[in-house]
């Protein structure tokens, strides 16, 4: 409400919350106009009046990054995810190998082959 020209002049404003995947933007829509794919995923909250204390607290904690390296951040995140996946796969394979060795030893202990030779 505080960052909107029209919203700051109105008494009651509905604030709409939804995930970005739910936003539907068509080429024939006006600037600033959006639709929703699933209406059930949309949450509306009615803001009756502006509370300056909350707005001032938000403005104090607001910060902007001007030189953001999106590609570098994405590559770093992807490499972290890949390394975590490799580590999980390595641990899973190690556990499977240990389980297989345990089963072989157990089967060997139950086997009668050693008794008759």
């Amino acid at each position: 409400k505080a960052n909107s020209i029209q919203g700051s002049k109105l008494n009651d404003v509905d604030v709409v919350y939804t995930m970005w995947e739910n936003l539907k933007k068509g080429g024939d829509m006006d600037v600033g106009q959006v639709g929703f794919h699933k209406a059930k995923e949309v949450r509306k909250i009615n803001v009756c009046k502006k509370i300056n204390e909350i707005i001032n607290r938000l403005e104090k904690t607001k910060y902007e990054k001007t030189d953001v390296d999106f590609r570098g951040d994405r590559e770093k995140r992807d490499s972290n995810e890949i390394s975590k996946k490799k580590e999980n796969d390595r641990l899973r394979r190690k556990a499977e190998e240990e389980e297989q060795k345990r089963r072989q030893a157990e089967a060997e202990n139950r086997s009668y082959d050693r008794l008759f030779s």
Side-chain angles (χ1 to χ4, degrees):
K1 181 172 176 162
N3 289 335
S4 171
I5 295 171
Q6 293 176 343
S8 62
K9 295 177 183 175
L10 297 174
N11 290 334
D12 292 340
V13 176
D14 286 332
V15 178
V16 180
Y17 293 97
T18 189
M19 299 299 285
W20 69 268
E21 296 105 358
N22 194 28
L23 292 176
K24 179 172 64 175
K25 179 72 175 166
D28 59 334
M29 293 181 168
D30 293 333
V31 175
Q33 182 182 4
V34 293
F36 305 107
H37 293 290
K38 299 176 187 173
K40 288 184 176 182
E41 294 182 3
V42 176
R43 301 283 179 248
K44 290 185 180 181
I45 296 176
N46 191 347
V47 178
C48 296
K49 66 175 193 169
K50 180 170 75 171
I51 303 172
N52 285 329
E53 179 182 325
I54 294 173
I55 293 170
N56 291 340
R57 232 182 307 150
L58 287 173
E59 289 296 326
K60 287 179 185 177
T61 60
K62 184 176 171 180
Y63 68 94
E64 286 186 34
K65 291 183 180 180
T66 56
D67 54 339
V68 180
D69 183 21
F70 291 113
R71 177 170 282 149
D73 291 345
R74 174 70 183 259
E75 290 171 356
K76 189 187 307 180
R77 189 194 76 200
D78 289 345
S79 66
N80 287 341
E81 288 177 357
I82 289 170
S83 64
K84 286 179 184 177
K85 185 178 179 190
K86 283 183 181 179
E87 180 67 21
N88 288 340
D89 288 345
R90 186 184 63 78
L91 292 174
R92 183 184 47 79
R93 273 189 264 117
K94 186 177 179 182
E96 286 174 358
E97 289 174 3
E98 289 175 359
E99 180 67 20
Q100 187 178 11
K101 286 180 184 178
R102 187 189 62 80
R103 285 182 184 166
Q104 281 180 346
E106 192 175 297
E108 194 174 298
N109 287 340
R110 280 189 266 137
S111 175
Y112 291 108
D113 292 342
R114 290 185 302 159
L115 293 176
F116 297 117
S117 60

